[in-house]
Amino acid sequence: MDTIKYVLNEDQMPTHWYNIAADLPTPAAPALHPGTGQPLGPADLAPLFPMELIMQEVSTERTIDIPEEVQQIYRQWRPSPLFRARRLEKILDTPAKIYYKYEGVSPAGSHKPNTAIAQAYYNKIEGTKRLVTETGAGQWGSSLAFAGALFGLEVEVYMVKVSYNQKPYRRALMEVYGARVVASPSTETACGRAILAEHPDSTGSLGIAISEAVEMAVQRDDTKYALGSVLNHVMLHQTVIGQEAMIQMEMAGDYPDVIIGCTGGGSNFAGLSFPFIGAKLRGERDVRVIAVEPAACPSLTKGKFAYDFGDTAHLTPLTKMHTLGSTFVPSGIHAGGLRYHGMGPLVSHLLDLGSIDAVAVQQLETFAAGLQFARAEGILPAPEANHAVAATIREALRCKAEGKSETLLFNLSGHGHFDLQAYMDYQAGTLKDFEYSAEEVAMALAGLPSVG
């Protein structure tokens, strides 16, 4: 039978998160205190995060139990389906077999609730009353707003101004869930006011929005900060995606030759790929893994692997990552969730080890891929997910040219129902590509902090 959809029962849902730190041949570099330059201790992070998340951040245990309260909420949309893209294969006339794990079935429409629910849970049991965060395209902000509503937490979101204006319905969804949404940079914080004084027309960046959120979070004892990507514990929470996909690929009688995911901070990419990379690192099964990023924000393909701040105002710890420089403000591409100057330390470390590959794709190619996918498979991908779709189509066409029947698996990390204006702009011919030049890279990297 030509099966299209592989669905697991609730009792097959993962009961633990997978921690790739346990299988790394060499450990990732530690985060450093921004003032002393010394490795961070748990007490240094306590003003921002609950202790359980801090311990997950530094853990080297291979598995960490998912609390039953979190599993119960996960069951509303998990396990998520795995699809065989048979119609897309036919249109491309490729011998490749294309599978995609679809995370758009969550209430917020993306993979982000996998960590939002966990973070809200741990904050709730530690007595947190209020969470402050940033968001780019709004998928993370809406997910944390959803989680806050379930756990009775007040949520405040600093949304990158260009996305705040581009995506009013994503903002509206956050407000439906009860969150307060502020366009960043704003006049509510010292760092926001300083940026607006120098750049009154600033379109914002995730680095700026992080600075504003962190500044607000440390002002009240009942408030913590939540981050939707980059950090180790966020990657950890997303590994339910890859663990489910492993079982579903076994159901299909198949195993991926190539795994593909879009990358901004790295969370959905890590969620799908880390369990498979772990198997590769343990010598069990080989797989090629491709991280796909925007050509307008190419931290992996043009950035430097170095210590840098995670935010523009330099309030956050220093982490070793592929970075374009913390002052970098990307062009206003519609893939707002990928417009971040740095990449998650674990993803960056894996690239440095040679365990993954990285490619950059231009905006127009991604939207062309998204339309082709929607017309074949019926699901409209978010602009971020279109990067994975575009790279998968490239790989499928490579298989066609080489006459190879490889198995491709990618993460369709969210739907594009709130991004229809972007698709309208693309079809009207008003979108354009942005290239981040070598000169701009050099200028941004010139300001990297000096770390011994």
Side-chain angles (χ1 to χ4, degrees):
M1 185 175 66
D2 292 337
T3 304
I4 296 293
K5 183 167 76 274
Y6 299 88
V7 182
L8 302 178
N9 297 320
E10 287 183 6
D11 60 5
Q12 294 174 287
M13 191 179 77
T15 58
H16 62 273
W17 294 301
Y18 165 67
N19 184 9
I20 199 170
D23 292 316
L24 292 173
T26 57
L32 306 179
H33 191 285
T36 66
Q38 297 301 307
L40 287 174
D44 296 318
L45 293 172
L48 292 177
F49 306 110
M51 191 52 64
E52 187 61 35
L53 290 181
I54 294 171
M55 300 314 294
Q56 291 178 6
E57 183 69 19
V58 299
S59 173
T60 56
E61 295 292 323
R62 181 171 284 114
T63 61
I64 294 175
D65 291 342
I66 304 175
E68 174 55 34
E69 294 90 334
V70 174
Q71 291 187 54
Q72 186 176 29
I73 296 172
Y74 277 0
R75 292 186 191 109
Q76 185 170 346
W77 71 93
R78 306 217 68 87
S80 66
L82 178 81
F83 289 92
R84 172 81 180 269
R86 294 184 183 274
R87 290 184 297 276
L88 181 62
E89 293 170 11
K90 185 176 181 180
I91 288 171
L92 296 175
D93 189 26
T94 177
K97 291 177 285 185
I98 303 173
Y99 296 86
Y100 59 96
K101 182 73 165 159
Y102 184 44
E103 291 294 299
V105 294
S106 78
S110 76
H111 67 292
K112 294 290 188 179
N114 297 328
T115 186
I117 296 300
Q119 291 189 50
Y121 166 78
Y122 289 119
N123 273 282
K124 180 69 173 181
I125 63 175
E126 194 168 294
T128 302
K129 304 296 183 186
R130 176 172 169 259
L131 290 174
V132 185
T133 193
E134 76 294 323
T135 194
Q139 290 185 344
W140 165 242
S142 55
S143 298
L144 191 67
F146 164 61
L150 295 185
F151 287 101
L153 300 172
E154 181 183 343
V155 175
E156 191 166 281
V157 182
Y158 286 84
M159 187 174 186
V160 177
K161 187 173 290 182
V162 64
S163 292
Y164 183 94
N165 294 326
Q166 284 176 344
K167 304 176 189 294
Y169 298 115
R170 183 65 68 177
R171 174 180 12 124
L173 181 60
M174 292 183 239
E175 293 169 344
V176 164
Y177 287 139
R180 177 173 177 263
V181 188
V182 180
S184 173
S186 74
T187 58
E188 297 192 354
T189 65
C191 64
R193 290 189 293 271
I195 289 165
L196 289 172
E198 187 174 354
H199 305 286
D201 298 324
S202 173
T203 56
S205 70
L206 277 167
I208 294 170
I210 291 172
S211 294
E212 294 206 271
V214 169
E215 182 180 325
M216 295 300 289
V218 299
Q219 292 179 10
R220 284 170 45 175
D221 292 338
D222 65 350
T223 300
K224 297 291 185 184
Y225 171 65
L227 187 65
S229 192
V230 180
L231 295 180
N232 297 357
H233 68 266
V234 181
M235 309 294 183
L236 175 82
H237 299 155
Q238 294 293 353
T239 58
V240 291
I241 302 172
Q243 291 181 74
E244 290 177 5
M246 281 184 149
I247 303 172
Q248 289 162 318
M249 291 299 298
E250 188 174 345
M251 290 171 61
D254 217 337
Y255 197 87
D257 297 297
V258 184
I259 292 176
I260 298 166
C262 66
T263 48
S267 68
N268 90 83
F269 168 81
L272 177 65
S273 69
F274 277 13
F276 289 94
I277 295 173
K280 177 181 179 179
L281 293 173
R282 295 190 299 272
E284 297 169 8
R285 294 291 296 264
D286 196 18
V287 66
R288 179 173 164 235
V289 182
I290 305 173
V292 192
E293 63 184 4
C297 194
S299 60
L300 288 173
T301 54
K302 289 189 177 180
K304 184 177 182 181
F305 188 41
Y307 274 102
D308 197 8
F309 292 97
D311 73 308
T312 302
H314 298 173
L315 303 177
T316 61
L318 291 160
T319 55
K320 192 171 185 183
M321 58 184 178
H322 281 84
T323 178
L324 296 167
S326 60
T327 59
F328 168 63
V329 177
S331 304
I333 58 171
H334 276 279
L338 307 184
R339 298 172 67 250
Y340 183 57
H341 70 271
M343 187 57 62
L346 285 174
V347 176
S348 297
H349 185 58
L350 288 167
L351 181 64
D352 189 58
L353 291 172
S355 298
I356 65 173
D357 299 327
V359 298
V361 183
Q362 283 283 8
Q363 177 165 245
L364 295 182
E365 181 183 350
T366 68
F367 273 93
L371 282 183
Q372 187 172 34
F373 183 86
R375 290 167 182 173
E377 296 295 308
I379 298 173
L380 183 72
E384 293 80 11
N386 280 341
H387 290 70
V389 177
T392 300
I393 291 173
R394 285 185 182 183
E395 289 296 308
L397 294 177
R398 174 188 60 78
C399 289
K400 178 181 179 179
E402 296 175 357
K404 291 182 178 179
S405 179
E406 295 183 8
T407 298
L408 315 178
L409 169 64
F410 75 94
N411 196 13
L412 187 52
S413 54
H415 67 64
H417 299 170
F418 294 111
D419 302 288
L420 288 170
Q421 185 61 55
Y423 281 95
M424 291 167 64
D425 292 344
Y426 171 74
Q427 294 193 89
T430 59
L431 292 190
K432 60 181 180 179
D433 288 335
F434 296 93
E435 188 72 38
Y436 193 43
S437 70
E439 292 77 13
E440 290 173 305
V441 173
M443 287 179 61
L445 294 177
L448 285 178
S450 177
V451 176

